Amino acid sequence: MDRYLVFGHPVRHSKSPFIHTLFARQTQQELEYGLAEPAVDEFAQALRTFFDQGGKGCNVTVPFKEQAFTLVDRLSPRAKRAGAVNTIKLTDDGVLLGDNTDGAGLVADLKSHGVTLADSRILLLGAGGAARGALAPLLAELPSELVIANRTHAKAQQLAAEFCDLGPVTAQTYEQLAGPFDLVINSTSASLQGELPPLAPALIHTDIAIYDMMYGTSDTAFISWAKQHGARQTMDGLGMLVEQAAEAFTVWRGIRPGTKQVLRELKRNLGVI
Ligand code: ATR
C-alpha cells in the first residue's frame, strides 16, 4: 500500500492522519498515512530513510519546513516563494518534489467562507514563515492593497520588498495602521502564549472579516478580542488545515477530495461541534 506521513516535532497531536484517511476513503484511494517525530537534528536522515523504504510522499510541519526546503531535489514555484516546504512528493522518475500548499489552503478556506479578496484591503499581521507562505497566493487574488504589520518592523519591510513584484504590498508599523480594512489575517504566534498582536481596537468594525491561522477547541485569544470589539465574521485556521491537506492530497494522488464533510468530521472529533 502507498505510504505517506507527516514529519513534525512535536507531531503526536497532528490531525493530518485523520484528515488524509478520510480523504482516501472518500476518493477510494488505497494508502496509509502515519506520523514521524524525529529528533530535531535527525530530520534529514529520517526523510531519506522514509523515501528509501518506499514512501510516496509526506507532509512537513513545525519545525522542519525550512529544512525540507533545502533537502528536496526540485521546488514548485510556490514553495520557492514561500521559502518553506510542507508537502513532498516522490515523482515517478524518482525526483523529490517540494511544494507548499499552506497559502493555497488559506485562500481556499477564505473563499469557502465567502470572503471576497479581489479589490479588498487586507491587513496581514506577522512576518514569519506563515506570513511568507500566504503572501503570493493572497496577492494572486488581486487585492487593492495588502499591508503587513509586524512587531519587528524590519521583518515586515523585508517581506514587502521581497513580494512587491507580485502586487501592492507595503509594510506599516502597528501604530501607523489606518483603516478601514476588509480583512485581517493573524499569522502571528501570539495566541500560543495567550497574547495579542498590538492592534488598535478602532480598526475592528462590524463588516470586517477576521481570520486567525491558529485554532483551538474554543475561540483563539485574537478571535475573542475581535468579537469583543464588534467583528461579526471570524474564522480560525481549522479550515486552512483541511484545505492545505486537500491540496497536498491532490498533488500526490491527482484527485481532489471534497473538504466540507471532512471539516465537519474534524470539528466533531475535536469536540468543537
Ligand atoms: P511562523 O512560522 O508560525 O510564522 P515565526 O516564523 O516564528 O512562526 O513567526 C512568528 C510571528 O509571530 C512573527 O511575526 C512574530 O513577530 P516578530 O517577528 O516580532 O518576532 C509574531 N509574534 C509572536 N509573538 C507575538 C506577540 N506576542 N505579539 C505580536 N507578534 C508576535
Side-chain angles (χ1 to χ4, degrees), residues 62 65-66 125-133 148-156 159 174 186-199 213-214:
V62 179
K65 291 184 192 187
E66 282 79 15
L125 307 179
R132 180 182 291 275
I148 309 170
N150 191 48
R151 187 173 58 180
T152 311
H153 183 52
K155 277 166 69 180
L159 264 194
Y174 279 99
N186 181 23
S187 82
T188 76
S189 49
S191 289
L192 287 181
Q193 303 108 48
E195 291 174 4
L196 290 167
L199 195 63
M213 289 194 195
M214 298 276 159

Side-chain angles (χ1 to χ4, degrees), residues 151-165:
R151 187 173 58 180
T152 311
H153 183 52
K155 277 166 69 180
Q157 287 176 306
Q158 161 73 32
L159 264 194
E162 221 173 290
F163 285 84
C164 66
D165 59 320

Side-chain angles (χ1 to χ4, degrees), residues 51 55-57 71-76 87-99 251-252:
F51 283 108
K56 292 285 184 197
L71 294 172
V72 294
D73 301 319
R74 212 163 63 210
L75 290 162
S76 69
T87 300
I88 302 178
K89 174 187 177 158
L90 181 65
T91 66
D92 291 340
D93 40 4
V95 170
L96 278 191
L97 175 67
D99 198 356
V251 169
W252 294 325

